[in-house]
Amino acid sequence: MQYWLMKSEPEEFSFEDLKNRPGKTEPWDGVRNYQARNFMRDDMKKGDCIFFYHSNCAEPGIVGIATVHKEAYPDPTAFDPEDAHYDPKSDPEKPRWYLVDVKYKKKLKRTITLKEIKQHADRLEDFPLVRKGNRLSVMPVEKKHWDFILGLE
DNA sequence: GCCAACGTTGGC
DNA sequence: GCCAACGTTGGC
């Protein structure tokens, strides 16, 4: 089993939104970055655990835990000219973009903020989130980092 | 294959 | 809203 972190802007799609979805699941559509796509398409397995991270908001940080509910399949929004994430270069015969379904697991007792995570930079060496300028929306988390961060809760 | 221009992300 | 960092695009 592997561990991951996925970012979402709470004004677009928050952890509460995930909880309120039927079945508490949601297709993670709209990712248009190759590295993030590769993680979803090639490496994310059903049952993997995910830190749900709120970005671009007043208090950026990890708010809860989700799991991979369904492994990779082509992102249908890439084929829809009406969709904001439409990509004419993605052919249904040869899809360019993939996604996984994620499922709500549990909310953390409190938000573990980016600020706090940065204060533990010595223990979280090479944690991608705290590397300068990292903009990946899907990233792997090492188990030791996962455990350390959960220990802060 | 290089690299300048451009668009996006995301913290602050 | 600003802007640094970074990915992508496209001319050459």
Side-chain angles (χ1 to χ4, degrees), chain A residues 93-121:
Chain A
E93 297 297 314
K94 209 181 174 200
R96 175 177 293 203
W97 303 112
Y98 285 77
L99 53 74
V100 298
D101 288 356
V102 304
K103 181 168 187 173
Y104 181 95
K105 185 171 182 191
K106 71 162 198 167
K107 188 177 163 72
L108 296 187
K109 294 191 204 81
R110 62 184 189 86
T111 300
I112 298 173
T113 63
L114 178 63
K115 187 181 173 193
E116 189 176 351
I117 289 167
K118 282 181 168 171
Q119 286 167 356
H120 294 285

PDB file of all heavy atoms in Angstrom, chain A residues 93-121:
ATOM      1  N   GLU A  93      -9.939   7.165 -28.477  1.00  0.00           N
ATOM      2  CA  GLU A  93      -9.250   5.940 -28.890  1.00  0.00           C
ATOM      3  C   GLU A  93      -7.883   5.828 -28.217  1.00  0.00           C
ATOM      4  O   GLU A  93      -7.340   4.743 -28.059  1.00  0.00           O
ATOM      5  CB  GLU A  93      -9.051   5.932 -30.416  1.00  0.00           C
ATOM      6  CG  GLU A  93     -10.346   5.916 -31.207  1.00  0.00           C
ATOM      7  CD  GLU A  93     -11.146   4.645 -30.939  1.00  0.00           C
ATOM      8  OE1 GLU A  93     -10.539   3.568 -30.956  1.00  0.00           O
ATOM      9  OE2 GLU A  93     -12.358   4.754 -30.682  1.00  0.00           O
ATOM     10  N   LYS A  94      -7.326   6.988 -27.904  1.00  0.00           N
ATOM     11  CA  LYS A  94      -6.005   7.018 -27.280  1.00  0.00           C
ATOM     12  C   LYS A  94      -5.972   8.166 -26.277  1.00  0.00           C
ATOM     13  O   LYS A  94      -5.407   9.228 -26.541  1.00  0.00           O
ATOM     14  CB  LYS A  94      -4.932   7.213 -28.362  1.00  0.00           C
ATOM     15  CG  LYS A  94      -3.609   6.582 -27.979  1.00  0.00           C
ATOM     16  CD  LYS A  94      -2.541   6.810 -29.040  1.00  0.00           C
ATOM     17  CE  LYS A  94      -1.205   6.285 -28.543  1.00  0.00           C
ATOM     18  NZ  LYS A  94      -0.067   6.859 -29.249  1.00  0.00           N
ATOM     19  N   PRO A  95      -6.580   7.951 -25.112  1.00  0.00           N
ATOM     20  CA  PRO A  95      -6.756   9.043 -24.148  1.00  0.00           C
ATOM     21  C   PRO A  95      -5.430   9.565 -23.609  1.00  0.00           C
ATOM     22  O   PRO A  95      -4.491   8.794 -23.378  1.00  0.00           O
ATOM     23  CB  PRO A  95      -7.559   8.398 -23.011  1.00  0.00           C
ATOM     24  CG  PRO A  95      -8.074   7.111 -23.552  1.00  0.00           C
ATOM     25  CD  PRO A  95      -7.124   6.684 -24.624  1.00  0.00           C
ATOM     26  N   ARG A  96      -5.383  10.865 -23.453  1.00  0.00           N
ATOM     27  CA  ARG A  96      -4.178  11.472 -22.915  1.00  0.00           C
ATOM     28  C   ARG A  96      -4.252  11.597 -21.389  1.00  0.00           C
ATOM     29  O   ARG A  96      -3.234  11.519 -20.705  1.00  0.00           O
ATOM     30  CB  ARG A  96      -4.007  12.858 -23.535  1.00  0.00           C
ATOM     31  CG  ARG A  96      -2.855  13.653 -22.959  1.00  0.00           C
ATOM     32  CD  ARG A  96      -2.685  14.986 -23.646  1.00  0.00           C
ATOM     33  NE  ARG A  96      -2.259  14.856 -25.035  1.00  0.00           N
ATOM     34  CZ  ARG A  96      -1.621  15.821 -25.709  1.00  0.00           C
ATOM     35  NH1 ARG A  96      -1.346  16.965 -25.130  1.00  0.00           N
ATOM     36  NH2 ARG A  96      -1.281  15.643 -26.959  1.00  0.00           N
ATOM     37  N   TRP A  97      -5.468  11.805 -20.866  1.00  0.00           N
ATOM     38  CA  TRP A  97      -5.609  12.107 -19.435  1.00  0.00           C
ATOM     39  C   TRP A  97      -6.401  11.031 -18.706  1.00  0.00           C
ATOM     40  O   TRP A  97      -7.407  10.539 -19.213  1.00  0.00           O
ATOM     41  CB  TRP A  97      -6.272  13.479 -19.260  1.00  0.00           C
ATOM     42  CG  TRP A  97      -5.501  14.549 -19.955  1.00  0.00           C
ATOM     43  CD1 TRP A  97      -5.887  15.269 -21.050  1.00  0.00           C
ATOM     44  CD2 TRP A  97      -4.185  15.016 -19.626  1.00  0.00           C
ATOM     45  NE1 TRP A  97      -4.907  16.147 -21.417  1.00  0.00           N
ATOM     46  CE2 TRP A  97      -3.843  16.022 -20.565  1.00  0.00           C
ATOM     47  CE3 TRP A  97      -3.262  14.691 -18.625  1.00  0.00           C
ATOM     48  CZ2 TRP A  97      -2.615  16.682 -20.531  1.00  0.00           C
ATOM     49  CZ3 TRP A  97      -2.040  15.358 -18.604  1.00  0.00           C
ATOM     50  CH2 TRP A  97      -1.738  16.340 -19.546  1.00  0.00           C
ATOM     51  N   TYR A  98      -5.921  10.707 -17.520  1.00  0.00           N
ATOM     52  CA  TYR A  98      -6.547   9.672 -16.692  1.00  0.00           C
ATOM     53  C   TYR A  98      -6.869  10.230 -15.308  1.00  0.00           C
ATOM     54  O   TYR A  98      -6.313  11.251 -14.889  1.00  0.00           O
ATOM     55  CB  TYR A  98      -5.611   8.466 -16.553  1.00  0.00           C
ATOM     56  CG  TYR A  98      -5.543   7.620 -17.806  1.00  0.00           C
ATOM     57  CD1 TYR A  98      -4.797   8.058 -18.895  1.00  0.00           C
ATOM     58  CD2 TYR A  98      -6.241   6.427 -17.917  1.00  0.00           C
ATOM     59  CE1 TYR A  98      -4.753   7.307 -20.065  1.00  0.00           C
ATOM     60  CE2 TYR A  98      -6.191   5.665 -19.075  1.00  0.00           C
ATOM     61  CZ  TYR A  98      -5.449   6.112 -20.144  1.00  0.00           C
ATOM     62  OH  TYR A  98      -5.410   5.372 -21.293  1.00  0.00           O
ATOM     63  N   LEU A  99      -7.749   9.529 -14.623  1.00  0.00           N
ATOM     64  CA  LEU A  99      -8.092   9.941 -13.262  1.00  0.00           C
ATOM     65  C   LEU A  99      -8.377   8.710 -12.411  1.00  0.00           C
ATOM     66  O   LEU A  99      -8.535   7.607 -12.926  1.00  0.00           O
ATOM     67  CB  LEU A  99      -9.307  10.861 -13.274  1.00  0.00           C
ATOM     68  CG  LEU A  99     -10.572  10.381 -13.989  1.00  0.00           C
ATOM     69  CD1 LEU A  99     -11.295   9.317 -13.190  1.00  0.00           C
ATOM     70  CD2 LEU A  99     -11.504  11.540 -14.248  1.00  0.00           C
ATOM     71  N   VAL A 100      -8.458   8.921 -11.114  1.00  0.00           N
ATOM     72  CA  VAL A 100      -8.928   7.882 -10.197  1.00  0.00           C
ATOM     73  C   VAL A 100     -10.128   8.447  -9.438  1.00  0.00           C
ATOM     74  O   VAL A 100     -10.323   9.658  -9.388  1.00  0.00           O
ATOM     75  CB  VAL A 100      -7.842   7.447  -9.174  1.00  0.00           C
ATOM     76  CG1 VAL A 100      -6.634   6.853  -9.886  1.00  0.00           C
ATOM     77  CG2 VAL A 100      -7.434   8.616  -8.273  1.00  0.00           C
ATOM     78  N   ASP A 101     -10.946   7.536  -8.901  1.00  0.00           N
ATOM     79  CA  ASP A 101     -12.001   7.965  -7.983  1.00  0.00           C
ATOM     80  C   ASP A 101     -11.447   7.925  -6.566  1.00  0.00           C
ATOM     81  O   ASP A 101     -10.760   6.967  -6.191  1.00  0.00           O
ATOM     82  CB  ASP A 101     -13.209   7.026  -8.058  1.00  0.00           C
ATOM     83  CG  ASP A 101     -13.996   7.195  -9.357  1.00  0.00           C
ATOM     84  OD1 ASP A 101     -13.658   8.087 -10.154  1.00  0.00           O
ATOM     85  OD2 ASP A 101     -14.952   6.418  -9.562  1.00  0.00           O
ATOM     86  N   VAL A 102     -11.753   8.959  -5.791  1.00  0.00           N
ATOM     87  CA  VAL A 102     -11.322   8.974  -4.401  1.00  0.00           C
ATOM     88  C   VAL A 102     -12.551   8.881  -3.496  1.00  0.00           C
ATOM     89  O   VAL A 102     -13.662   9.234  -3.898  1.00  0.00           O
ATOM     90  CB  VAL A 102     -10.506  10.247  -4.061  1.00  0.00           C
ATOM     91  CG1 VAL A 102      -9.322  10.372  -5.005  1.00  0.00           C
ATOM     92  CG2 VAL A 102     -11.372  11.492  -4.117  1.00  0.00           C
ATOM     93  N   LYS A 103     -12.315   8.392  -2.293  1.00  0.00           N
ATOM     94  CA  LYS A 103     -13.419   8.229  -1.342  1.00  0.00           C
ATOM     95  C   LYS A 103     -13.063   8.819   0.016  1.00  0.00           C
ATOM     96  O   LYS A 103     -11.947   8.615   0.516  1.00  0.00           O
ATOM     97  CB  LYS A 103     -13.756   6.736  -1.190  1.00  0.00           C
ATOM     98  CG  LYS A 103     -14.903   6.479  -0.230  1.00  0.00           C
ATOM     99  CD  LYS A 103     -15.400   5.057  -0.318  1.00  0.00           C
ATOM    100  CE  LYS A 103     -16.668   4.900   0.535  1.00  0.00           C
ATOM    101  NZ  LYS A 103     -17.289   3.590   0.346  1.00  0.00           N
ATOM    102  N   TYR A 104     -14.020   9.518   0.588  1.00  0.00           N
ATOM    103  CA  TYR A 104     -13.868  10.094   1.929  1.00  0.00           C
ATOM    104  C   TYR A 104     -13.598   8.995   2.948  1.00  0.00           C
ATOM    105  O   TYR A 104     -14.273   7.981   2.969  1.00  0.00           O
ATOM    106  CB  TYR A 104     -15.171  10.814   2.283  1.00  0.00           C
ATOM    107  CG  TYR A 104     -15.191  11.487   3.631  1.00  0.00           C
ATOM    108  CD1 TYR A 104     -14.878  12.833   3.753  1.00  0.00           C
ATOM    109  CD2 TYR A 104     -15.558  10.788   4.778  1.00  0.00           C
ATOM    110  CE1 TYR A 104     -14.930  13.456   4.992  1.00  0.00           C
ATOM    111  CE2 TYR A 104     -15.603  11.400   6.017  1.00  0.00           C
ATOM    112  CZ  TYR A 104     -15.289  12.736   6.122  1.00  0.00           C
ATOM    113  OH  TYR A 104     -15.343  13.343   7.342  1.00  0.00           O
ATOM    114  N   LYS A 105     -12.594   9.210   3.800  1.00  0.00           N
ATOM    115  CA  LYS A 105     -12.368   8.252   4.876  1.00  0.00           C
ATOM    116  C   LYS A 105     -12.631   8.894   6.226  1.00  0.00           C
ATOM    117  O   LYS A 105     -13.549   8.534   6.909  1.00  0.00           O
ATOM    118  CB  LYS A 105     -10.959   7.680   4.814  1.00  0.00           C
ATOM    119  CG  LYS A 105     -10.737   6.589   5.845  1.00  0.00           C
ATOM    120  CD  LYS A 105      -9.412   5.862   5.656  1.00  0.00           C
ATOM    121  CE  LYS A 105      -9.258   4.743   6.670  1.00  0.00           C
ATOM    122  NZ  LYS A 105      -7.885   4.204   6.655  1.00  0.00           N
ATOM    123  N   LYS A 106     -11.784   9.874   6.571  1.00  0.00           N
ATOM    124  CA  LYS A 106     -12.077  10.573   7.830  1.00  0.00           C
ATOM    125  C   LYS A 106     -11.447  11.948   7.855  1.00  0.00           C
ATOM    126  O   LYS A 106     -10.418  12.203   7.223  1.00  0.00           O
ATOM    127  CB  LYS A 106     -11.612   9.743   9.019  1.00  0.00           C
ATOM    128  CG  LYS A 106     -10.104   9.664   9.183  1.00  0.00           C
ATOM    129  CD  LYS A 106      -9.757   9.218  10.599  1.00  0.00           C
ATOM    130  CE  LYS A 106      -8.311   9.545  10.950  1.00  0.00           C
ATOM    131  NZ  LYS A 106      -8.001   9.416  12.356  1.00  0.00           N
ATOM    132  N   LYS A 107     -12.094  12.802   8.607  1.00  0.00           N
ATOM    133  CA  LYS A 107     -11.606  14.158   8.790  1.00  0.00           C
ATOM    134  C   LYS A 107     -10.611  14.148   9.936  1.00  0.00           C
ATOM    135  O   LYS A 107     -10.804  13.430  10.928  1.00  0.00           O
ATOM    136  CB  LYS A 107     -12.802  15.052   9.146  1.00  0.00           C
ATOM    137  CG  LYS A 107     -12.521  16.537   9.185  1.00  0.00           C
ATOM    138  CD  LYS A 107     -13.841  17.269   9.491  1.00  0.00           C
ATOM    139  CE  LYS A 107     -13.605  18.681   9.955  1.00  0.00           C
ATOM    140  NZ  LYS A 107     -13.153  19.566   8.878  1.00  0.00           N
ATOM    141  N   LEU A 108      -9.544  14.928   9.804  1.00  0.00           N
ATOM    142  CA  LEU A 108      -8.609  15.041  10.921  1.00  0.00           C
ATOM    143  C   LEU A 108      -9.248  15.874  12.030  1.00  0.00           C
ATOM    144  O   LEU A 108     -10.115  16.706  11.767  1.00  0.00           O
ATOM    145  CB  LEU A 108      -7.305  15.700  10.458  1.00  0.00           C
ATOM    146  CG  LEU A 108      -6.485  14.933   9.416  1.00  0.00           C
ATOM    147  CD1 LEU A 108      -5.142  15.617   9.191  1.00  0.00           C
ATOM    148  CD2 LEU A 108      -6.254  13.489   9.830  1.00  0.00           C
ATOM    149  N   LYS A 109      -8.781  15.639  13.252  1.00  0.00           N
ATOM    150  CA  LYS A 109      -9.336  16.396  14.391  1.00  0.00           C
ATOM    151  C   LYS A 109      -9.110  17.890  14.197  1.00  0.00           C
ATOM    152  O   LYS A 109      -9.887  18.720  14.646  1.00  0.00           O
ATOM    153  CB  LYS A 109      -8.681  15.943  15.692  1.00  0.00           C
ATOM    154  CG  LYS A 109      -9.001  14.500  16.064  1.00  0.00           C
ATOM    155  CD  LYS A 109      -8.530  14.201  17.497  1.00  0.00           C
ATOM    156  CE  LYS A 109      -8.290  12.724  17.728  1.00  0.00           C
ATOM    157  NZ  LYS A 109      -6.972  12.245  17.220  1.00  0.00           N
ATOM    158  N   ARG A 110      -8.013  18.192  13.530  1.00  0.00           N
ATOM    159  CA  ARG A 110      -7.727  19.597  13.230  1.00  0.00           C
ATOM    160  C   ARG A 110      -6.923  19.646  11.938  1.00  0.00           C
ATOM    161  O   ARG A 110      -6.328  18.651  11.532  1.00  0.00           O
ATOM    162  CB  ARG A 110      -6.935  20.252  14.366  1.00  0.00           C
ATOM    163  CG  ARG A 110      -5.583  19.599  14.584  1.00  0.00           C
ATOM    164  CD  ARG A 110      -4.840  20.168  15.760  1.00  0.00           C
ATOM    165  NE  ARG A 110      -3.458  19.651  15.804  1.00  0.00           N
ATOM    166  CZ  ARG A 110      -2.441  20.195  15.138  1.00  0.00           C
ATOM    167  NH1 ARG A 110      -2.628  21.289  14.405  1.00  0.00           N
ATOM    168  NH2 ARG A 110      -1.233  19.676  15.207  1.00  0.00           N
ATOM    169  N   THR A 111      -6.908  20.812  11.324  1.00  0.00           N
ATOM    170  CA  THR A 111      -6.125  20.979  10.100  1.00  0.00           C
ATOM    171  C   THR A 111      -4.648  21.036  10.444  1.00  0.00           C
ATOM    172  O   THR A 111      -4.250  21.790  11.333  1.00  0.00           O
ATOM    173  CB  THR A 111      -6.525  22.291   9.390  1.00  0.00           C
ATOM    174  OG1 THR A 111      -7.908  22.216   9.061  1.00  0.00           O
ATOM    175  CG2 THR A 111      -5.710  22.493   8.119  1.00  0.00           C
ATOM    176  N   ILE A 112      -3.863  20.218   9.754  1.00  0.00           N
ATOM    177  CA  ILE A 112      -2.418  20.311   9.913  1.00  0.00           C
ATOM    178  C   ILE A 112      -1.924  21.257   8.831  1.00  0.00           C
ATOM    179  O   ILE A 112      -1.900  20.917   7.649  1.00  0.00           O
ATOM    180  CB  ILE A 112      -1.772  18.920   9.824  1.00  0.00           C
ATOM    181  CG1 ILE A 112      -2.304  18.055  10.978  1.00  0.00           C
ATOM    182  CG2 ILE A 112      -0.252  19.028   9.883  1.00  0.00           C
ATOM    183  CD1 ILE A 112      -1.890  16.615  10.916  1.00  0.00           C
ATOM    184  N   THR A 113      -1.595  22.458   9.259  1.00  0.00           N
ATOM    185  CA  THR A 113      -1.364  23.533   8.305  1.00  0.00           C
ATOM    186  C   THR A 113      -0.010  23.424   7.616  1.00  0.00           C
ATOM    187  O   THR A 113       0.935  22.819   8.141  1.00  0.00           O
ATOM    188  CB  THR A 113      -1.417  24.904   9.013  1.00  0.00           C
ATOM    189  OG1 THR A 113      -0.358  24.956   9.971  1.00  0.00           O
ATOM    190  CG2 THR A 113      -2.753  25.107   9.691  1.00  0.00           C
ATOM    191  N   LEU A 114       0.055  24.040   6.441  1.00  0.00           N
ATOM    192  CA  LEU A 114       1.317  24.114   5.719  1.00  0.00           C
ATOM    193  C   LEU A 114       2.382  24.782   6.585  1.00  0.00           C
ATOM    194  O   LEU A 114       3.539  24.358   6.613  1.00  0.00           O
ATOM    195  CB  LEU A 114       1.116  24.892   4.414  1.00  0.00           C
ATOM    196  CG  LEU A 114       2.372  25.092   3.579  1.00  0.00           C
ATOM    197  CD1 LEU A 114       2.934  23.755   3.116  1.00  0.00           C
ATOM    198  CD2 LEU A 114       2.080  25.981   2.383  1.00  0.00           C
ATOM    199  N   LYS A 115       1.961  25.811   7.300  1.00  0.00           N
ATOM    200  CA  LYS A 115       2.885  26.537   8.173  1.00  0.00           C
ATOM    201  C   LYS A 115       3.531  25.595   9.189  1.00  0.00           C
ATOM    202  O   LYS A 115       4.742  25.606   9.386  1.00  0.00           O
ATOM    203  CB  LYS A 115       2.110  27.642   8.897  1.00  0.00           C
ATOM    204  CG  LYS A 115       2.960  28.569   9.713  1.00  0.00           C
ATOM    205  CD  LYS A 115       2.084  29.611  10.402  1.00  0.00           C
ATOM    206  CE  LYS A 115       2.923  30.438  11.371  1.00  0.00           C
ATOM    207  NZ  LYS A 115       2.072  31.233  12.272  1.00  0.00           N
ATOM    208  N   GLU A 116       2.686  24.770   9.789  1.00  0.00           N
ATOM    209  CA  GLU A 116       3.178  23.824  10.785  1.00  0.00           C
ATOM    210  C   GLU A 116       4.100  22.780  10.152  1.00  0.00           C
ATOM    211  O   GLU A 116       5.132  22.422  10.710  1.00  0.00           O
ATOM    212  CB  GLU A 116       1.957  23.151  11.432  1.00  0.00           C
ATOM    213  CG  GLU A 116       2.304  22.302  12.622  1.00  0.00           C
ATOM    214  CD  GLU A 116       1.055  21.731  13.286  1.00  0.00           C
ATOM    215  OE1 GLU A 116      -0.066  22.133  12.917  1.00  0.00           O
ATOM    216  OE2 GLU A 116       1.222  20.860  14.159  1.00  0.00           O
ATOM    217  N   ILE A 117       3.699  22.305   8.981  1.00  0.00           N
ATOM    218  CA  ILE A 117       4.517  21.318   8.285  1.00  0.00           C
ATOM    219  C   ILE A 117       5.899  21.896   7.981  1.00  0.00           C
ATOM    220  O   ILE A 117       6.925  21.233   8.150  1.00  0.00           O
ATOM    221  CB  ILE A 117       3.801  20.853   7.003  1.00  0.00           C
ATOM    222  CG1 ILE A 117       2.586  19.991   7.381  1.00  0.00           C
ATOM    223  CG2 ILE A 117       4.750  20.064   6.099  1.00  0.00           C
ATOM    224  CD1 ILE A 117       1.629  19.729   6.234  1.00  0.00           C
ATOM    225  N   LYS A 118       5.919  23.145   7.590  1.00  0.00           N
ATOM    226  CA  LYS A 118       7.202  23.794   7.283  1.00  0.00           C
ATOM    227  C   LYS A 118       8.084  23.924   8.520  1.00  0.00           C
ATOM    228  O   LYS A 118       9.308  23.901   8.425  1.00  0.00           O
ATOM    229  CB  LYS A 118       6.956  25.174   6.677  1.00  0.00           C
ATOM    230  CG  LYS A 118       6.543  25.113   5.215  1.00  0.00           C
ATOM    231  CD  LYS A 118       6.345  26.503   4.649  1.00  0.00           C
ATOM    232  CE  LYS A 118       6.228  26.452   3.135  1.00  0.00           C
ATOM    233  NZ  LYS A 118       5.831  27.772   2.579  1.00  0.00           N
ATOM    234  N   GLN A 119       7.442  24.062   9.680  1.00  0.00           N
ATOM    235  CA  GLN A 119       8.224  24.188  10.915  1.00  0.00           C
ATOM    236  C   GLN A 119       8.950  22.893  11.260  1.00  0.00           C
ATOM    237  O   GLN A 119       9.881  22.886  12.051  1.00  0.00           O
ATOM    238  CB  GLN A 119       7.309  24.605  12.077  1.00  0.00           C
ATOM    239  CG  GLN A 119       6.904  26.069  11.996  1.00  0.00           C
ATOM    240  CD  GLN A 119       5.756  26.416  12.939  1.00  0.00           C
ATOM    241  OE1 GLN A 119       5.215  25.544  13.609  1.00  0.00           O
ATOM    242  NE2 GLN A 119       5.396  27.692  12.977  1.00  0.00           N
ATOM    243  N   HIS A 120       8.488  21.793  10.662  1.00  0.00           N
ATOM    244  CA  HIS A 120       9.125  20.501  10.903  1.00  0.00           C
ATOM    245  C   HIS A 120       9.955  20.064   9.703  1.00  0.00           C
ATOM    246  O   HIS A 120      10.107  18.865   9.452  1.00  0.00           O
ATOM    247  CB  HIS A 120       8.067  19.438  11.212  1.00  0.00           C
ATOM    248  CG  HIS A 120       7.344  19.674  12.494  1.00  0.00           C
ATOM    249  ND1 HIS A 120       7.913  19.427  13.718  1.00  0.00           N
ATOM    250  CD2 HIS A 120       6.104  20.165  12.754  1.00  0.00           C
ATOM    251  CE1 HIS A 120       7.043  19.735  14.673  1.00  0.00           C
ATOM    252  NE2 HIS A 120       5.938  20.189  14.117  1.00  0.00           N
ATOM    253  N   ALA A 121      10.471  21.028   8.984  1.00  0.00           N
ATOM    254  CA  ALA A 121      11.191  20.732   7.745  1.00  0.00           C
ATOM    255  C   ALA A 121      12.344  19.750   7.970  1.00  0.00           C
ATOM    256  O   ALA A 121      12.670  18.955   7.094  1.00  0.00           O
ATOM    257  CB  ALA A 121      11.702  22.022   7.120  1.00  0.00           C
TER     258      ALA A 121
END
